[in-house]
Amino acid sequence: MRPTRATIALLAVWGLVGLAIPLAGLATMHWLWAGAGLGLVLLLDAVALSRQPSPAFERQMPAVLPLGPWATVTLRLTNTARGALRGTLHDGHPGDWTVEDQPRDLRIAPREVLELTYRTLPPRRGEAVFEPGWWRQVSTLRLWTQTRRLGATTPVRVFPNFAPLAGLALHTAEQATRMTGAHLARRRGDGTEFHQMREYRTGDSLRQIDWKATARARRLISREYQEEKNQRVTLLLDCGRRLLAEGGGLTHFDHALNAALLVAYTALRQGDAVALQTFGAVDRSVPSVRGVGGLDALVEATFDVQPAPVAADYLEAARRVLAQNARRSLVLVVTNVRDEDADDLLAGLELLQRRHLVCVASLRESALDAAMAAEPHRFEDALRLGATQQYLASRKRAHAQLRARRIDVLDVRCEQLPAALVQHYLAIKRAGRL
């Protein structure tokens, strides 16, 4: 229990009056009686506050929050006392979360149910806990305050933002693919799996025409093919120091994970199996899943994975993929290729190539493009431009070294990664390279 500013002011005035009494030649008896009266009032107000009940507290919020958009938390306070309650409420949100409209000064009328909301922004994926709220209740005469804890803890999980996937679920597989930004190249030749018979369309090759069906129907009938199903995709995500960089308010690993989930969703809708592995700071594996429902298993296993400043072991990651994926699959490796990592990365990729088709998505910092586009005006600008050119040249050499081993390389920025991965996956299927 703490005194308010009003209490401190009253005690200060009483003390100053006591100092002035000898100077004015007044009797001290009245001053002592005034002090006793003030003390009695303070005591009675403190006792009343200690006996005053706290408002009932209830917190309502989703158990799962997306990373990126603001989340709304609803607080409900119920005053069961006969008199009004005054105080300041500060919800027990995680300390590093951004919040709005906290704390709040409140007055709750007798028998009133007060409902209020505030917004919060989680800074990262993973598990978090909302502790009981802090309630600083003010006494009836506003002479004392008492801090109390209200409610219970609320565990929450912060997942990657599913809004893009939810929007894609309402469209066909081909429409959803185009909405990701991927460019669907026209299929060359026939697909790898028969789909159905249909009437001839302008542009169909002669090899697609079924002459027996044409003779029976007395009009041109074509065979329609689709990409082969029941293929496999393995997503290999680096969560080491190379993906600690930030862009657009998210780490590069967050962008990599969002893109990987988008590719997984696309592949699962195509009828393929998807496996996912992380390496570097956290070694996490998800065996192959099928069907769109399998996306839940991928998210559940990776939503709390965070990058850390450790070196990624590409060779060990490749060995784990080989140990858990006996069948040939498309392995999409998301990392940031640096010249000093080229030898270790190449050793791991060549090991994967013995059984799998390998593609490396190398994330490029947006700051590099901005530095190259900026016009130098000072000596420091020229130094920065020269260093950027040197770094990009070494990066280009590392990519050329991988391509010389027949390894596909995608050199993209974070915002380009989702469309680039989906487009490459579909190009592999349409070309029948698996």
Side-chain angles (χ1 to χ4, degrees), residues 110-128:
R111 310 301 179 183
E112 179 185 6
V113 178
L114 181 63
E115 191 171 282
L116 53 99
T117 61
Y118 71 92
R119 297 202 309 162
T120 182
L121 184 66
R124 66 183 63 84
R125 293 169 291 99
E127 296 183 345

PDB file of all heavy atoms in Angstrom, residues 110-128:
ATOM      1  N   PRO A 110     -20.788   0.678  -9.477  1.00  0.00           N
ATOM      2  CA  PRO A 110     -21.271  -0.517  -8.763  1.00  0.00           C
ATOM      3  C   PRO A 110     -22.050  -1.447  -9.700  1.00  0.00           C
ATOM      4  O   PRO A 110     -22.885  -0.998 -10.495  1.00  0.00           O
ATOM      5  CB  PRO A 110     -22.173   0.061  -7.663  1.00  0.00           C
ATOM      6  CG  PRO A 110     -21.684   1.458  -7.478  1.00  0.00           C
ATOM      7  CD  PRO A 110     -21.218   1.924  -8.798  1.00  0.00           C
ATOM      8  N   ARG A 111     -21.749  -2.725  -9.633  1.00  0.00           N
ATOM      9  CA  ARG A 111     -22.389  -3.781 -10.421  1.00  0.00           C
ATOM     10  C   ARG A 111     -22.168  -3.619 -11.938  1.00  0.00           C
ATOM     11  O   ARG A 111     -22.855  -4.243 -12.737  1.00  0.00           O
ATOM     12  CB  ARG A 111     -23.906  -3.837 -10.144  1.00  0.00           C
ATOM     13  CG  ARG A 111     -24.295  -3.877  -8.670  1.00  0.00           C
ATOM     14  CD  ARG A 111     -23.699  -5.065  -7.979  1.00  0.00           C
ATOM     15  NE  ARG A 111     -24.051  -5.092  -6.560  1.00  0.00           N
ATOM     16  CZ  ARG A 111     -23.609  -6.011  -5.700  1.00  0.00           C
ATOM     17  NH1 ARG A 111     -22.801  -6.960  -6.141  1.00  0.00           N
ATOM     18  NH2 ARG A 111     -23.967  -5.963  -4.427  1.00  0.00           N
ATOM     19  N   GLU A 112     -21.220  -2.805 -12.308  1.00  0.00           N
ATOM     20  CA  GLU A 112     -20.975  -2.575 -13.738  1.00  0.00           C
ATOM     21  C   GLU A 112     -20.003  -3.623 -14.288  1.00  0.00           C
ATOM     22  O   GLU A 112     -19.064  -4.055 -13.605  1.00  0.00           O
ATOM     23  CB  GLU A 112     -20.388  -1.178 -13.969  1.00  0.00           C
ATOM     24  CG  GLU A 112     -20.096  -0.885 -15.442  1.00  0.00           C
ATOM     25  CD  GLU A 112     -19.397   0.448 -15.644  1.00  0.00           C
ATOM     26  OE1 GLU A 112     -19.040   1.091 -14.630  1.00  0.00           O
ATOM     27  OE2 GLU A 112     -19.199   0.844 -16.808  1.00  0.00           O
ATOM     28  N   VAL A 113     -20.236  -4.014 -15.531  1.00  0.00           N
ATOM     29  CA  VAL A 113     -19.304  -4.877 -16.268  1.00  0.00           C
ATOM     30  C   VAL A 113     -18.656  -4.015 -17.345  1.00  0.00           C
ATOM     31  O   VAL A 113     -19.311  -3.593 -18.303  1.00  0.00           O
ATOM     32  CB  VAL A 113     -20.029  -6.078 -16.899  1.00  0.00           C
ATOM     33  CG1 VAL A 113     -19.052  -6.920 -17.706  1.00  0.00           C
ATOM     34  CG2 VAL A 113     -20.703  -6.923 -15.818  1.00  0.00           C
ATOM     35  N   LEU A 114     -17.399  -3.728 -17.168  1.00  0.00           N
ATOM     36  CA  LEU A 114     -16.678  -2.836 -18.083  1.00  0.00           C
ATOM     37  C   LEU A 114     -15.838  -3.678 -19.045  1.00  0.00           C
ATOM     38  O   LEU A 114     -15.054  -4.538 -18.626  1.00  0.00           O
ATOM     39  CB  LEU A 114     -15.783  -1.892 -17.285  1.00  0.00           C
ATOM     40  CG  LEU A 114     -14.972  -0.873 -18.093  1.00  0.00           C
ATOM     41  CD1 LEU A 114     -15.897   0.071 -18.841  1.00  0.00           C
ATOM     42  CD2 LEU A 114     -14.030  -0.104 -17.176  1.00  0.00           C
ATOM     43  N   GLU A 115     -16.012  -3.431 -20.326  1.00  0.00           N
ATOM     44  CA  GLU A 115     -15.268  -4.165 -21.353  1.00  0.00           C
ATOM     45  C   GLU A 115     -14.420  -3.173 -22.148  1.00  0.00           C
ATOM     46  O   GLU A 115     -14.920  -2.164 -22.644  1.00  0.00           O
ATOM     47  CB  GLU A 115     -16.235  -4.908 -22.279  1.00  0.00           C
ATOM     48  CG  GLU A 115     -15.555  -5.908 -23.196  1.00  0.00           C
ATOM     49  CD  GLU A 115     -16.547  -6.789 -23.935  1.00  0.00           C
ATOM     50  OE1 GLU A 115     -17.069  -7.748 -23.312  1.00  0.00           O
ATOM     51  OE2 GLU A 115     -16.810  -6.497 -25.122  1.00  0.00           O
ATOM     52  N   LEU A 116     -13.147  -3.479 -22.274  1.00  0.00           N
ATOM     53  CA  LEU A 116     -12.242  -2.603 -23.017  1.00  0.00           C
ATOM     54  C   LEU A 116     -11.276  -3.459 -23.830  1.00  0.00           C
ATOM     55  O   LEU A 116     -11.043  -4.626 -23.523  1.00  0.00           O
ATOM     56  CB  LEU A 116     -11.490  -1.672 -22.067  1.00  0.00           C
ATOM     57  CG  LEU A 116     -10.726  -2.312 -20.895  1.00  0.00           C
ATOM     58  CD1 LEU A 116      -9.254  -2.434 -21.213  1.00  0.00           C
ATOM     59  CD2 LEU A 116     -10.934  -1.493 -19.628  1.00  0.00           C
ATOM     60  N   THR A 117     -10.724  -2.869 -24.871  1.00  0.00           N
ATOM     61  CA  THR A 117      -9.809  -3.577 -25.754  1.00  0.00           C
ATOM     62  C   THR A 117      -8.534  -2.770 -25.939  1.00  0.00           C
ATOM     63  O   THR A 117      -8.515  -1.548 -25.756  1.00  0.00           O
ATOM     64  CB  THR A 117     -10.447  -3.824 -27.135  1.00  0.00           C
ATOM     65  OG1 THR A 117     -10.753  -2.566 -27.752  1.00  0.00           O
ATOM     66  CG2 THR A 117     -11.713  -4.645 -27.006  1.00  0.00           C
ATOM     67  N   TYR A 118      -7.486  -3.474 -26.287  1.00  0.00           N
ATOM     68  CA  TYR A 118      -6.240  -2.817 -26.685  1.00  0.00           C
ATOM     69  C   TYR A 118      -5.567  -3.683 -27.742  1.00  0.00           C
ATOM     70  O   TYR A 118      -5.886  -4.859 -27.912  1.00  0.00           O
ATOM     71  CB  TYR A 118      -5.324  -2.574 -25.482  1.00  0.00           C
ATOM     72  CG  TYR A 118      -4.681  -3.816 -24.900  1.00  0.00           C
ATOM     73  CD1 TYR A 118      -3.421  -4.237 -25.334  1.00  0.00           C
ATOM     74  CD2 TYR A 118      -5.307  -4.552 -23.907  1.00  0.00           C
ATOM     75  CE1 TYR A 118      -2.822  -5.363 -24.784  1.00  0.00           C
ATOM     76  CE2 TYR A 118      -4.726  -5.672 -23.359  1.00  0.00           C
ATOM     77  CZ  TYR A 118      -3.470  -6.078 -23.803  1.00  0.00           C
ATOM     78  OH  TYR A 118      -2.889  -7.201 -23.270  1.00  0.00           O
ATOM     79  N   ARG A 119      -4.636  -3.092 -28.447  1.00  0.00           N
ATOM     80  CA  ARG A 119      -3.949  -3.789 -29.522  1.00  0.00           C
ATOM     81  C   ARG A 119      -2.507  -4.096 -29.121  1.00  0.00           C
ATOM     82  O   ARG A 119      -1.864  -3.323 -28.408  1.00  0.00           O
ATOM     83  CB  ARG A 119      -3.945  -2.960 -30.805  1.00  0.00           C
ATOM     84  CG  ARG A 119      -5.326  -2.683 -31.369  1.00  0.00           C
ATOM     85  CD  ARG A 119      -5.252  -2.353 -32.851  1.00  0.00           C
ATOM     86  NE  ARG A 119      -4.268  -1.321 -33.151  1.00  0.00           N
ATOM     87  CZ  ARG A 119      -3.773  -1.088 -34.361  1.00  0.00           C
ATOM     88  NH1 ARG A 119      -4.169  -1.831 -35.374  1.00  0.00           N
ATOM     89  NH2 ARG A 119      -2.892  -0.113 -34.564  1.00  0.00           N
ATOM     90  N   THR A 120      -2.021  -5.238 -29.604  1.00  0.00           N
ATOM     91  CA  THR A 120      -0.651  -5.637 -29.321  1.00  0.00           C
ATOM     92  C   THR A 120      -0.037  -6.241 -30.560  1.00  0.00           C
ATOM     93  O   THR A 120      -0.742  -6.799 -31.415  1.00  0.00           O
ATOM     94  CB  THR A 120      -0.600  -6.634 -28.144  1.00  0.00           C
ATOM     95  OG1 THR A 120       0.763  -6.975 -27.868  1.00  0.00           O
ATOM     96  CG2 THR A 120      -1.366  -7.907 -28.471  1.00  0.00           C
ATOM     97  N   LEU A 121       1.276  -6.142 -30.662  1.00  0.00           N
ATOM     98  CA  LEU A 121       2.007  -6.632 -31.831  1.00  0.00           C
ATOM     99  C   LEU A 121       3.132  -7.540 -31.366  1.00  0.00           C
ATOM    100  O   LEU A 121       4.107  -7.074 -30.767  1.00  0.00           O
ATOM    101  CB  LEU A 121       2.574  -5.462 -32.632  1.00  0.00           C
ATOM    102  CG  LEU A 121       3.292  -5.810 -33.935  1.00  0.00           C
ATOM    103  CD1 LEU A 121       2.311  -6.393 -34.939  1.00  0.00           C
ATOM    104  CD2 LEU A 121       3.973  -4.574 -34.511  1.00  0.00           C
ATOM    105  N   PRO A 122       3.036  -8.853 -31.623  1.00  0.00           N
ATOM    106  CA  PRO A 122       4.122  -9.758 -31.218  1.00  0.00           C
ATOM    107  C   PRO A 122       5.361  -9.535 -32.072  1.00  0.00           C
ATOM    108  O   PRO A 122       5.250  -9.346 -33.287  1.00  0.00           O
ATOM    109  CB  PRO A 122       3.521 -11.150 -31.433  1.00  0.00           C
ATOM    110  CG  PRO A 122       2.422 -10.952 -32.429  1.00  0.00           C
ATOM    111  CD  PRO A 122       1.903  -9.577 -32.224  1.00  0.00           C
ATOM    112  N   PRO A 123       6.549  -9.559 -31.483  1.00  0.00           N
ATOM    113  CA  PRO A 123       7.770  -9.301 -32.249  1.00  0.00           C
ATOM    114  C   PRO A 123       8.344 -10.519 -32.951  1.00  0.00           C
ATOM    115  O   PRO A 123       9.168 -10.386 -33.854  1.00  0.00           O
ATOM    116  CB  PRO A 123       8.741  -8.787 -31.179  1.00  0.00           C
ATOM    117  CG  PRO A 123       8.308  -9.492 -29.932  1.00  0.00           C
ATOM    118  CD  PRO A 123       6.811  -9.655 -30.033  1.00  0.00           C
ATOM    119  N   ARG A 124       7.927 -11.720 -32.525  1.00  0.00           N
ATOM    120  CA  ARG A 124       8.523 -12.931 -33.099  1.00  0.00           C
ATOM    121  C   ARG A 124       7.567 -14.103 -32.937  1.00  0.00           C
ATOM    122  O   ARG A 124       6.596 -14.034 -32.170  1.00  0.00           O
ATOM    123  CB  ARG A 124       9.858 -13.247 -32.425  1.00  0.00           C
ATOM    124  CG  ARG A 124       9.721 -13.627 -30.945  1.00  0.00           C
ATOM    125  CD  ARG A 124      11.058 -13.864 -30.298  1.00  0.00           C
ATOM    126  NE  ARG A 124      11.847 -12.661 -30.308  1.00  0.00           N
ATOM    127  CZ  ARG A 124      11.746 -11.707 -29.391  1.00  0.00           C
ATOM    128  NH1 ARG A 124      10.897 -11.847 -28.373  1.00  0.00           N
ATOM    129  NH2 ARG A 124      12.480 -10.636 -29.441  1.00  0.00           N
ATOM    130  N   ARG A 125       7.861 -15.164 -33.673  1.00  0.00           N
ATOM    131  CA  ARG A 125       7.085 -16.398 -33.536  1.00  0.00           C
ATOM    132  C   ARG A 125       7.474 -17.127 -32.246  1.00  0.00           C
ATOM    133  O   ARG A 125       8.490 -16.838 -31.641  1.00  0.00           O
ATOM    134  CB  ARG A 125       7.342 -17.317 -34.722  1.00  0.00           C
ATOM    135  CG  ARG A 125       6.819 -16.813 -36.051  1.00  0.00           C
ATOM    136  CD  ARG A 125       7.362 -17.661 -37.193  1.00  0.00           C
ATOM    137  NE  ARG A 125       8.790 -17.453 -37.351  1.00  0.00           N
ATOM    138  CZ  ARG A 125       9.727 -18.242 -36.874  1.00  0.00           C
ATOM    139  NH1 ARG A 125       9.401 -19.336 -36.202  1.00  0.00           N
ATOM    140  NH2 ARG A 125      11.010 -17.985 -37.063  1.00  0.00           N
ATOM    141  N   GLY A 126       6.657 -18.095 -31.868  1.00  0.00           N
ATOM    142  CA  GLY A 126       6.977 -18.919 -30.707  1.00  0.00           C
ATOM    143  C   GLY A 126       5.902 -18.854 -29.644  1.00  0.00           C
ATOM    144  O   GLY A 126       4.816 -18.313 -29.856  1.00  0.00           O
ATOM    145  N   GLU A 127       6.212 -19.404 -28.489  1.00  0.00           N
ATOM    146  CA  GLU A 127       5.280 -19.421 -27.374  1.00  0.00           C
ATOM    147  C   GLU A 127       5.490 -18.204 -26.480  1.00  0.00           C
ATOM    148  O   GLU A 127       6.616 -17.751 -26.289  1.00  0.00           O
ATOM    149  CB  GLU A 127       5.439 -20.710 -26.562  1.00  0.00           C
ATOM    150  CG  GLU A 127       5.075 -21.974 -27.346  1.00  0.00           C
ATOM    151  CD  GLU A 127       5.184 -23.215 -26.485  1.00  0.00           C
ATOM    152  OE1 GLU A 127       5.801 -23.129 -25.397  1.00  0.00           O
ATOM    153  OE2 GLU A 127       4.654 -24.260 -26.886  1.00  0.00           O
ATOM    154  N   ALA A 128       4.414 -17.686 -25.948  1.00  0.00           N
ATOM    155  CA  ALA A 128       4.468 -16.540 -25.038  1.00  0.00           C
ATOM    156  C   ALA A 128       3.386 -16.713 -23.978  1.00  0.00           C
ATOM    157  O   ALA A 128       2.467 -17.529 -24.126  1.00  0.00           O
ATOM    158  CB  ALA A 128       4.281 -15.226 -25.795  1.00  0.00           C
TER     159      ALA A 128
END
